[in-house]
Amino acid sequence: MKCTCAPGRASTQAQRPSGDRAGLSARAPGPAPACACAESRGGGRVARAPGSGRLRAPRAAGPPSAMPGMVLFGRRWAIASDDLVFPGVFELLLRVLWWVGILMLYLMHRGKLDCPGGVLLSSYLIVLLVLLAIIIGTVSAIVCVSMKGTICNPGPRKSMSKLLYVRLALFLPEMVWASLGAAWIADGIQCDRTVGNGIIATVVVSWLIIASTVLTILIVFDPLGGKAAPGAPLGPQPLDSRESSQLLSGLRTAATGVWETRVRLLCCCIGRDDHTRVAFSSTAELFSTYFSDTDLVPSDIAAGLALLHQQQDHARSPPEPTEVVTHSPGPFQEADLDAELENCHHYMQFAAAAYGWPLYVYRNPFTGLCRVGGDCCRCRTTDYDLVGGDQLNCHFSSILQTTGLQHRDFIHISFHDKVYELPFLVALDHRKESVVVAIRGTMSLQDILTDLSAESEPLDIECEAQDCWAHKGISQAARYVYRRLVNDGILSQAFSIAPEYRLVVVGHSLGAGAAALLALMLKSPYPQVRCYAFSPPRGLLSKSLYEYSKTFIVSLVLGKDVIPRLSVTNLEDLKRRILRVIAHCNKPKYKILLRGCWYELFGGSPEDLPTELDGGDLTQPLLGEHSLLVHGSPAYSFSSESPLESPTKYPPLYPPGRIIHLEEEGTSGSCSCSPAARYTVRWAHESEFSRILIGPKMLTDHMPDILMRVLDHVVSDRAACVSCPAQGGSSVDQA
């Protein structure tokens, strides 16, 4: 790739309305950008809606920039020219084995083709051998070309489009020949049985490959790819021109519409009430916004994540934020940590019980079904009548087993599950003298839509905090539980039985976010309310509400759990990091993916990361980054340390309350004679969760059963490890 740089002025970013995050960009007439790349992809330039890449107005003719998305038949597809290595090798292996098998069949049984119709079958096999040889040669060329270049340098793969046209053209004779073979077999040609079976297998394999190819085309088809407009004006078009504004507005609307159609298809089994329609629109808006200003295909993202994981492990021990270093916990905080950790261990049982029988059976695979199976088949008894609620099914028995409570200790159990309406339970905890409200986390498509309604909305509560904003979907879910508890008299009933008890709200994941917002809503009528949020989402509260919640909310986070680090702001940061590490990488994608899979499965040293270019760190983005990200996008920051500016619709949000972090340190501990996972328990600052960490445990650390197991070991071993020296927290070993 030949690049020339000149000290020209950067292109001017057109003005956009506040809060517009469709990622639109256009260049006003003026000097050329500082760096231009003399490389052509071929296939023309297209204007595309967000969702799979950049949304751009037609711009001046000049040196085209690299685009990972491949352009065929005048439109962009959700696949890159370097994505064909692995499918090509698989097809090549299959067709070579197929060709060898047919050749052996023909050579070994050609003397038995003197039957009626045998001449046709012999001709069929010979032509099929020739056709397969041509296809094998074409696929081999595609694989070889696909191995060349890098993600941001597709120049060595410029012949790929021609090879694909040839390969697609070869499907026509292949389909014709497969149809003829099927017709001849259907006529009942009487020949040697081995030959007949071989022909049948050949026809079946031919149609399977054709069907898989059609399915692949449907998968990689990008409805937002657009078609190159023939005769489009080549001169610069400012964004404020009427034509460009109409074009960009139409493409942006089309992008949101396409994403909404996708979401509706994925959630086709969900009802169509008002909440569901709003959630569909919110989810579509989120996706179209997030993917608006990049030109990446899914494999590019996978390669970027693999590189980020190795780069992250290569860094080993990054310095902690200044805010954390300057606030070391004192003796009072350490004693408070012990008490709150014990409370977390106790109330986590209620958060897990809210998941009902699925989690219980998952945690007890051999005995769980036997313990709860009887209640699934048994008619409703008088014990159930003690508990108000609906849709208990098999859940009640698992809840009793998980919490260790009696039937009479439960006030209400509801497993009613809709968009913005979460299952919950209310119980009397006599051990801690508390009324416990436990809210279930994500377990259904409805819950996922609630998670993805990520806009911010004002939270109407009575408190001294200013700018009270919260996650829209979780806020709506918390309001639903609040209405049920207050308007239906559930809390009044509980406190009429135990007026001296205090109120405790708990939950895990989505339930943790809803529990935190519910605690904020109940703070005024119940001043002694406490909340324990297990693995809550980061993008939940505005800064002022986060500070206010520290007085009565405690969050617990395990290891590299991705959910407490998940917010729109952090996703934008992750996208920028992926773009930067891809642009810095000088290795082909297939090598990145192979090494990434090996590293995830078997480990290894990340010392030889192919992510740094000669000449040291760059203070300006590489040209490849310009080709992957729209110029002037608010998602991009030249400084890797500067915070991202979120759109008005998605302002920075924070996790709730004070945070206890259970962080894995190593594989052996000083307080145990046997190898064990060692965890540090300490208070953490929210800034420690301002970046998504990549690794195999980013998902497993979020699982409630894993969290419960670690809590059990940490609490039980903490007393035995009081003599273990630790700074900023305590270390215990998990046996």
Side-chain angles (χ1 to χ4, degrees), residues 442-456:
T442 303
M443 270 201 68
S444 65
L445 289 176
Q446 293 92 328
D447 299 336
I448 293 175
L449 289 175
T450 301
D451 287 317
L452 294 176
S453 298
E455 305 100 316
S456 296

Side-chain angles (χ1 to χ4, degrees), residues 466-470 540-547 652-654:
Q466 302 295 325
D467 298 326
C468 299
W469 292 82
L540 185 66
L541 303 172
S542 60
K543 183 70 171 180
S544 59
L545 279 180
Y546 157 69
E547 296 292 346
L653 297 178
Y654 300 85

Side-chain angles (χ1 to χ4, degrees), residues 319-587:
E320 293 183 349
T322 305
E323 291 180 270
V324 181
V325 175
T326 56
H327 291 80
S328 300
F332 173 77
Q333 289 178 301
E334 187 67 18
D336 187 38
L337 177 61
D338 287 330
E340 295 295 6
L341 184 64
E342 198 279 329
N343 287 333
C344 287
H345 177 245
H346 175 76
Y347 288 115
M348 181 62 201
Q349 302 175 52
F350 293 88
Y355 282 98
W357 69 264
L359 179 60
Y360 182 78
V361 172
Y362 178 77
R363 292 180 58 216
N364 304 275
F366 300 109
T367 60
L369 282 175
C370 298
R371 292 177 180 176
V372 303
D375 282 352
C376 296
C377 305
R378 189 182 305 139
C379 296
R380 188 181 180 100
T381 64
T382 55
D383 291 332
Y384 285 78
D385 295 332
L386 297 174
V387 182
D390 48 26
Q391 302 183 21
L392 295 182
N393 298 332
C394 309
H395 297 298
F396 201 6
S397 180
S398 66
I399 293 173
L400 294 174
Q401 295 284 347
T402 303
T403 60
L405 301 182
Q406 303 298 319
H407 294 83
R408 62 178 179 272
D409 296 329
F410 288 90
I411 306 300
H412 189 89
I413 300 176
S414 172
F415 277 87
H416 169 80
D417 188 13
K418 294 179 66 177
V419 177
Y420 303 153
E421 297 177 4
L422 299 179
F424 68 96
L425 63 87
V426 180
L428 299 178
D429 179 17
H430 302 296
R431 177 184 166 188
K432 292 287 187 178
E433 296 187 344
S434 58
V435 174
V436 180
V437 178
I439 306 176
R440 196 190 73 181
T442 303
M443 270 201 68
S444 65
L445 289 176
Q446 293 92 328
D447 299 336
I448 293 175
L449 289 175
T450 301
D451 287 317
L452 294 176
S453 298
E455 305 100 316
S456 296
E457 68 175 16
L459 192 66
D460 187 15
I461 59 174
E462 298 180 10
C463 70
E464 299 177 356
Q466 302 295 325
D467 298 326
C468 299
W469 292 82
H471 184 288
K472 173 185 173 182
I474 302 178
S475 175
Q476 294 284 343
R479 284 195 182 96
Y480 162 77
V481 179
Y482 177 86
R483 289 193 299 268
R484 294 290 307 274
L485 294 177
V486 176
N487 298 346
D488 294 353
I490 297 175
L491 284 184
S492 299
Q493 179 185 355
F495 283 105
S496 67
I497 300 173
E500 72 281 4
Y501 284 13
R502 69 171 182 174
L503 179 61
V504 177
V505 188
V506 302
H508 173 266
S509 188
L510 169 62
L517 294 182
L518 178 62
L520 287 167
M521 297 174 185
L522 293 171
K523 179 64 173 175
S524 179
Y526 298 93
Q528 301 300 318
V529 65
R530 298 283 296 175
C531 175
Y532 292 94
F534 302 96
S535 306
R538 175 177 175 84
L540 185 66
L541 303 172
S542 60
K543 183 70 171 180
S544 59
L545 279 180
Y546 157 69
E547 296 292 346
Y548 174 69
S549 68
K550 288 182 178 181
T551 59
F552 58 97
I553 297 179
V554 173
S555 295
L556 183 74
V557 178
L558 174 61
K560 297 181 179 180
D561 187 352
V562 65
I563 300 302
R565 297 173 170 86
L566 196 61
S567 67
V568 175
T569 304
N570 284 7
L571 284 174
E572 289 285 348
D573 170 74
L574 178 64
K575 178 171 65 177
R576 178 185 57 78
R577 290 158 58 199
I578 289 176
L579 292 170
R580 194 164 188 83
V581 76
I582 286 176
H584 281 231
C585 185
N586 56 5
K587 298 294 183 183

Side-chain angles (χ1 to χ4, degrees), residues 189-371:
I189 297 177
Q190 301 298 325
C191 281
D192 183 76
R193 186 172 182 178
T194 303
V195 177
N197 292 337
I199 299 298
I200 293 175
T202 296
V203 172
V204 170
V205 172
S206 296
W207 282 110
L208 285 177
I209 292 180
I210 292 171
S212 63
T213 302
V214 172
L215 179 62
T216 302
I217 291 175
L218 292 176
I219 292 174
V220 302
F221 175 77
D222 183 4
L224 304 175
K227 292 195 175 183
L234 296 179
Q237 282 194 307
L239 186 62
D240 57 358
S241 69
R242 178 175 299 179
E243 294 81 3
S244 292
S245 298
Q246 292 177 349
L247 170 66
L248 297 174
S249 176
L251 291 177
R252 183 171 54 196
T253 303
T256 305
V258 168
W259 275 110
E260 187 166 348
T261 301
R262 291 170 174 171
V263 174
R264 289 179 184 274
L265 289 175
L266 289 173
C267 304
C268 57
C269 59
I270 299 179
R272 293 293 187 270
D273 57 11
D274 292 339
H275 283 171
T276 304
R277 284 189 287 270
V278 171
F280 284 158
S281 300
S282 298
T283 303
E285 183 71 20
L286 175 65
F287 283 139
S288 62
T289 297
Y290 184 70
F291 294 106
S292 63
D293 52 2
T294 58
D295 188 24
L296 296 176
V297 297
S299 61
D300 297 331
I301 299 175
L305 292 175
L307 290 172
L308 280 179
H309 184 203
Q310 297 175 61
Q311 186 182 69
Q312 172 186 298
D313 290 352
H314 181 65
R316 296 185 184 278
S317 300
E320 293 183 349
T322 305
E323 291 180 270
V324 181
V325 175
T326 56
H327 291 80
S328 300
F332 173 77
Q333 289 178 301
E334 187 67 18
D336 187 38
L337 177 61
D338 287 330
E340 295 295 6
L341 184 64
E342 198 279 329
N343 287 333
C344 287
H345 177 245
H346 175 76
Y347 288 115
M348 181 62 201
Q349 302 175 52
F350 293 88
Y355 282 98
W357 69 264
L359 179 60
Y360 182 78
V361 172
Y362 178 77
R363 292 180 58 216
N364 304 275
F366 300 109
T367 60
L369 282 175
C370 298
R371 292 177 180 176

Side-chain angles (χ1 to χ4, degrees), residues 149-151 584-592 608-611:
T150 64
I151 296 176
H584 281 231
C585 185
N586 56 5
K587 298 294 183 183
K589 187 192 298 182
Y590 78 95
K591 289 186 177 181
I592 299 174
D608 54 345
L609 274 173
T611 57

